[in-house]
Amino acid sequence: MVSTAAGATSSGAGLEGEEGESIWGEDDASIAETTDVELLKRAWRNEKAAPEILLFEAGLVQRAREQIQLLEETVEDFVENGTDDLIVSLYQMDLDRSLFLLRSYLRVRLQKIEKYMFHISRTDLWNRLSEQEKKFSKRCVNAMEKHLEQSVLSRLPYGYQSILKQSISSEEDDMVPEPKLDTFVFCKSKGAVGAFQLDDVGDEIVDLVSDDLYVLRYKSIKGLVEGGRIDLV
Amino acid sequence: MAGQSDPHLPMFTAPEVEFLAEDEIVEIIPNVRMGALHMICGDFGPFLPQIAVKVPLWLAVAMKKRGKCAIRPPGWLSVDNLTQVLEAERESPREFQALPFHYVEISRLLFDHARDDIPDIYMVRSLIEDIKGVRFHKVETGLETISGRTHAVKLKNLSAMEVNIVRPFLVRTLQAFYKHDSPQIVQPQGSLNSKRPQAADRGPRRDLRPR
C-alpha cells in the first residue's frame, strides 16, 4: 500500500530514539496481502473503479461469507459468556468492516447491472455474473421492458417501438447504454509489467514499473486488470 | 456529451478512502493485558502492557479511544522527516516526494485521536498542511499541461486522497480531449456538416507525455 519509501531515514536528532527499523508498515502490507479481506478489498476497488462489470469473485465471496458467519457466532458466544466488552467490541468492529466491504462490493455490481442490464444480458459479460445476479438481471430486464412498453413504446408509431433501437432503420442497437471503456482510470501496477502497448497501433508505449501510479485508458489496460496484474485505485 | 453532469457510477467517497487507510499497520503500546485477537482481517496480539505490538490503524484508534494504549506515531510523521519532505517538495516542482499512500488520512486520524502521542504536534500538523498545500498546487499546475496529446499521465507518489480529489477533473479532461481528438468520432461528423471544413491532418495524435 505504501509507495516506495526513499527518504525515510530521519535518524539525525533521534526525537523518539527509535532504531533504524522501518515503521512504514511495508513489510506488514505484503503479509496481509494474502488475507481474504485484502483480496476482497482489491476486488471492491477494482469493481468500483472499472467502468464495466468484472468477473464475480465467487470463491472469495463464499469464503468471506463463511468467515463473517463464523465470527458472528463467535461474537454471540462472547456476549453470552460475558467476555470483556473491549474484546467484544473490537471483534464487532472487525465484523462490521468485513460486512461493509462485502456489501459494498455486491452493491456496486448491482448498480452496474441496473445501469447496463440490456448490454450485459446481450453480451458475454453475462458469464461474469453470479447465479443470483443473473436472476436479478433477468427480473430487472423484464421489469424495465414492461415499464417502457406500457408507458412509452406502445404509444409510439410503428417503427419506433423497439427497446433496443431508436427506429426500425437503425442498424445497431443504439438505445442500449454501454459502459464507456474509453474512460480513463487510475491504476497501480503490482509488479513490473514492463513496456506496455497502449493501443493496437502500437506507437504509444508505457513502461509500467512496480508501484507507479498512472492514469490510462481503461480499454488499453483491460487485460491487465482482468489478469490481476494491475490494480485500479 | 463532455460537459454532461455525472454520467459515471459513484467513485470512492472520502470516508471510503479513509476506510482503506484504516487498514494500514501502526504500532501501539498497550497498557492492558489481552489475549491475541483472531480476526477476519488477520491475527493481532497478544497484548501485554508496555510491549509494542503492530495492529491496523482502526484497531489502534478504537483502543486509544478507550484509553487502552498509546499509539506510536509512524517514523515519517516526525518534524525532522516532514521538514525534509517539505523542502524537497518545494525544490522539485514536477515531482512528488515519497510519502505513504495514505499519509493524509493516517495523519488526520492520528491528529484527531492520538494528539497526546505525537511529539510537537502543532509543528507536525502545520508541516503536513504545508506539504498538502505544495503538493496540491503541483497537481493543479500539472492539470494545465494536459492537452489533446495526453493519453497517459504518470503520477508517481501521488497519495490516495490526492488521487480522489483530482480524479473527476483529470478523468473528464482526458476524456473530453480524447473524444474530440479521436478520428473515429470526428470523421462522421465532418461528413455530415459539410459546411465546416475538416482539419485533414491532426498530426500524430498519440503522443505520450509522462510527467
Side-chain angles (χ1 to χ4, degrees):
Chain A
M1 296 287 134
V2 183
S3 4
T4 32
T9 37
S10 63
S11 46
L15 266 170
E16 268 271 74
E18 317 222 79
E19 290 154 21
E21 182 197 7
S22 152
I23 328 168
W24 290 63
E26 234 163 342
D27 27 32
D28 306 276
S30 57
I31 299 166
E33 201 76 5
T34 47
T35 68
D36 281 340
V37 171
E38 211 57 39
L39 293 174
L40 189 58
K41 203 156 52 172
R42 179 185 298 156
W44 174 67
R45 279 173 128 160
N46 284 348
E47 192 69 65
K48 254 178 112 70
E52 63 173 351
I53 199 156
L54 301 174
L55 184 64
F56 182 68
E57 299 273 357
L60 180 58
V61 168
Q62 180 62 30
R63 291 200 302 276
R65 277 221 169 97
E66 283 166 9
Q67 288 179 50
I68 287 170
Q69 209 172 357
L70 199 69
L71 188 58
E72 272 173 342
E73 286 161 17
T74 316
V75 169
E76 264 173 46
D77 288 349
F78 278 156
V79 174
E80 271 171 34
N81 61 31
T83 311
D84 186 2
D85 272 358
L86 175 67
I87 296 177
V88 176
S89 76
L90 291 179
Y91 273 113
Q92 187 65 48
M93 283 180 81
D94 179 46
L95 188 58
D96 289 345
R97 290 176 67 83
S98 309
L99 269 173
F100 167 77
L101 264 186
L102 183 59
R103 285 196 187 121
S104 187
Y105 172 69
L106 296 173
R107 205 170 282 161
V108 176
R109 294 181 58 87
L110 290 183
Q111 280 170 343
K112 284 188 184 170
I113 293 174
E114 281 183 4
K115 195 164 178 187
Y116 303 120
M117 53 186 153
F118 290 115
H119 177 68
I120 291 174
S121 61
R122 300 168 61 78
T123 53
D124 42 348
L125 288 180
W126 183 253
N127 300 323
R128 296 185 174 185
L129 307 191
S130 70
E131 285 311 310
Q132 289 102 316
E133 284 170 344
K134 282 180 183 166
K135 250 184 240 166
F136 172 78
S137 183
K138 275 181 199 153
R139 294 219 315 269
C140 248
V141 167
N142 285 339
M144 185 59 95
E145 276 176 354
K146 204 172 153 199
H147 168 67
L148 288 174
E149 194 64 51
Q150 287 175 352
S151 59
V152 185
L153 293 171
S154 61
R155 285 155 218 212
L156 291 179
Y158 170 78
Y160 294 92
Q161 294 182 338
S162 166
I163 286 180
L164 306 174
K165 298 179 180 188
Q166 284 194 44
S167 78
I168 211 162
S169 58
S170 308
E171 280 163 26
E172 290 165 25
D173 296 339
D174 50 5
M175 288 298 273
V176 177
E178 286 177 27
K180 282 193 211 142
L181 302 186
D182 269 345
T183 197
F184 285 79
V185 291
F186 286 71
C187 58
K188 236 178 177 188
S189 47
K190 273 187 262 177
V193 174
F196 183 71
Q197 196 175 313
L198 276 190
D199 57 6
D200 317 325
V201 193
D203 50 1
E204 189 183 327
I205 284 169
V206 167
D207 190 21
L208 292 176
V209 185
S210 176
D211 231 14
D212 262 0
L213 187 68
Y214 272 98
V215 188
L216 298 169
R217 218 146 38 88
Y218 177 73
K219 213 180 204 166
S220 52
I221 55 155
K222 196 169 162 340
L224 294 178
V225 175
E226 285 160 4
R229 293 178 69 196
I230 205 169
D231 281 338
L232 302 181
V233 288
Chain B
M1 267 298 253
Q4 218 174 44
S5 63
D6 178 49
H8 306 284
L9 293 160
M11 270 295 176
F12 298 93
T13 61
E16 281 170 347
V17 179
E18 189 179 284
F19 174 85
L20 291 170
E22 284 170 345
D23 280 331
E24 294 294 314
I25 301 294
V26 289
E27 247 186 350
I28 59 166
I29 299 144
N31 55 27
V32 287
R33 188 176 290 272
M34 193 165 72
L37 300 169
H38 304 288
M39 298 188 153
I40 301 181
C41 63
D43 295 342
F44 305 102
F47 301 84
L48 298 167
Q50 305 313 318
I51 309 270
V53 57
K54 289 181 176 178
V55 295
L57 188 52
W58 65 265
L59 192 70
V61 169
M63 287 181 69
K64 176 75 189 174
K65 274 185 186 166
R66 285 150 213 264
K68 305 291 185 197
C69 74
I71 300 176
R72 207 182 256 189
W76 54 268
L77 199 68
S78 66
V79 174
D80 271 13
N81 181 52
L82 293 178
T83 314
Q84 275 179 27
V85 171
L86 181 59
E87 245 167 60
E89 207 73 73
R90 285 190 170 134
E91 273 163 21
S92 50
R94 296 183 72 79
E95 266 174 42
F96 298 99
Q97 297 305 305
L99 274 170
F101 191 51
H102 289 291
Y103 85 95
V104 178
E105 304 90 300
I106 296 175
S107 57
R108 177 63 194 267
L109 283 164
L110 292 180
F111 294 153
D112 284 354
H113 300 290
R115 40 177 41 250
D116 52 327
D117 291 334
I118 305 169
D120 308 308
I121 178 149
Y122 286 104
M123 193 62 192
V124 171
R125 203 178 184 141
S126 82
L127 278 167
I128 287 277
E129 285 305 314
D130 289 351
I131 291 172
K132 262 159 69 179
V134 177
R135 288 169 66 104
F136 203 73
H137 181 71
K138 272 184 227 180
V139 172
E140 282 174 341
T141 46
L143 282 178
E144 287 169 15
T145 68
I146 291 176
S147 73
R149 302 283 165 81
T150 314
H151 290 276
V153 180
K154 183 177 173 181
L155 295 161
K156 193 167 165 54
N157 292 334
L158 198 68
S159 82
M161 205 52 104
E162 288 155 351
V163 164
N164 220 39
I165 293 171
V166 290
R167 192 195 317 265
F169 306 105
L170 198 51
V171 169
R172 285 257 189 87
T173 314
L174 286 169
Q175 238 170 329
F177 273 124
Y178 179 75
K179 186 166 261 162
H180 298 301
D181 206 29
S182 172
Q184 297 100 308
I185 312 268
V186 169
Q187 272 160 10
Q189 263 179 357
S191 60
L192 285 177
N193 312 346
S194 48
K195 57 185 172 184
R196 191 185 304 162
Q198 188 59 46
D201 184 36
R202 317 190 105 234
R205 63 183 184 86
R206 295 177 194 280
D207 178 12
L208 176 64
R209 186 165 298 182
R211 292 196 283 140

